[in-house]
Amino acid sequence: MIVLITGASHTGKTALAQRLLEQMKIPYLSIDHLKMGLIRSGHTALTPEDDDALTAYLWPIVREMIKTAIENRQDLIVEGCYVPFDWRKDFDEAYLASIRFVCLAMTDAYVDAHFDAIQAHASDVEARLDDSGCTAARLKADNRAVTEGFLTAGEALAVIDTDWNTAIETLLSTL
């Protein structure tokens, strides 16, 4: 089984992947680690700020890693924001049967009510060296874009509206 976790920045993708690792004993791949490895090694001139271009650059690699894991009957959690809205077109039904898709999305009301907590938990699993670009306005805009894009593509979302832990526990009960 592949668990593909995506969503906007600061929604808890890595925290969810870590929780699944601990509960299900399934390893996870952080697309951010792949991104930084390729950037730091000089294999791309892209920067961490080039989100759209990074999705186009990283997704073909991630997609083929997912296919390889499925073919080898290996369980894997893949998490990161560089998943295109139309990701399903890259897999036939045999592959799709092995993929559980999760998209985390926060509502504007959640961001407004919990922005301080979002910032306080931003480095729970991995240290963020510079999180100065994290503003409530940016989080809301990012979440709206992710929500619109994946809903338009016909995907279901795990909406975080009042309590992150409750939303995650509900989600975990469905995996």
Side-chain angles (χ1 to χ4, degrees), residues 3 8 14 22 31 35 51 53 58-61 73 108 114 120 124 137-138 140 164-165:
V3 180
T14 306
E22 293 166 1
I31 301 174
K35 168 189 77 178
D51 285 339
L58 294 169
W59 180 245
I61 299 165
R73 295 185 184 98
D108 284 359
H114 300 280
D124 281 359
R138 183 171 180 185
K140 289 190 283 189
W164 189 87
N165 285 314

Side-chain angles (χ1 to χ4, degrees), residues 17-143:
Q18 182 68 35
R19 188 176 288 185
L20 287 171
L21 165 80
E22 293 166 1
Q23 290 180 359
M24 301 173 76
K25 309 298 185 224
I26 299 175
Y28 74 84
L29 166 73
S30 167
I31 301 174
D32 279 343
H33 291 173
L34 177 61
K35 168 189 77 178
M36 291 311 298
L38 291 165
I39 290 171
R40 288 180 169 183
S41 67
H43 280 83
T44 180
L46 296 171
T47 73
E49 311 308 316
D50 298 322
D51 285 339
D52 290 339
L54 281 164
T55 299
Y57 181 72
L58 294 169
W59 180 245
I61 299 165
V62 172
R63 175 192 70 216
E64 297 308 316
M65 292 173 76
I66 290 170
K67 288 179 181 178
T68 300
I70 292 170
E71 292 161 359
N72 290 329
R73 295 185 184 98
Q74 295 172 303
D75 295 329
L76 182 64
I77 300 159
V78 178
E79 68 86 13
C81 59
Y82 303 103
V83 177
F85 300 134
D86 63 349
W87 69 274
R88 287 184 188 270
K89 72 172 177 41
D90 294 325
F91 299 97
D92 63 30
E93 288 303 318
Y95 288 114
L96 288 171
S98 296
I99 301 172
R100 303 297 174 263
F101 177 75
V102 175
C103 180
L104 301 179
M106 297 183 293
T107 64
D108 284 359
Y110 182 83
V111 173
D112 287 336
H114 300 280
F115 182 68
D116 290 340
I118 292 167
Q119 285 188 306
H121 291 285
S123 292
D124 281 359
V125 179
E126 60 186 359
R128 293 178 185 264
L129 299 178
D130 179 11
D131 207 22
S132 60
C134 178
T135 65
R138 183 171 180 185
L139 287 182
K140 289 190 283 189
D142 289 350
N143 274 276

Side-chain angles (χ1 to χ4, degrees), residues 8-19:
S9 179
H10 290 77
T11 54
K13 298 177 298 294
T14 306
L16 174 57
Q18 182 68 35
R19 188 176 288 185

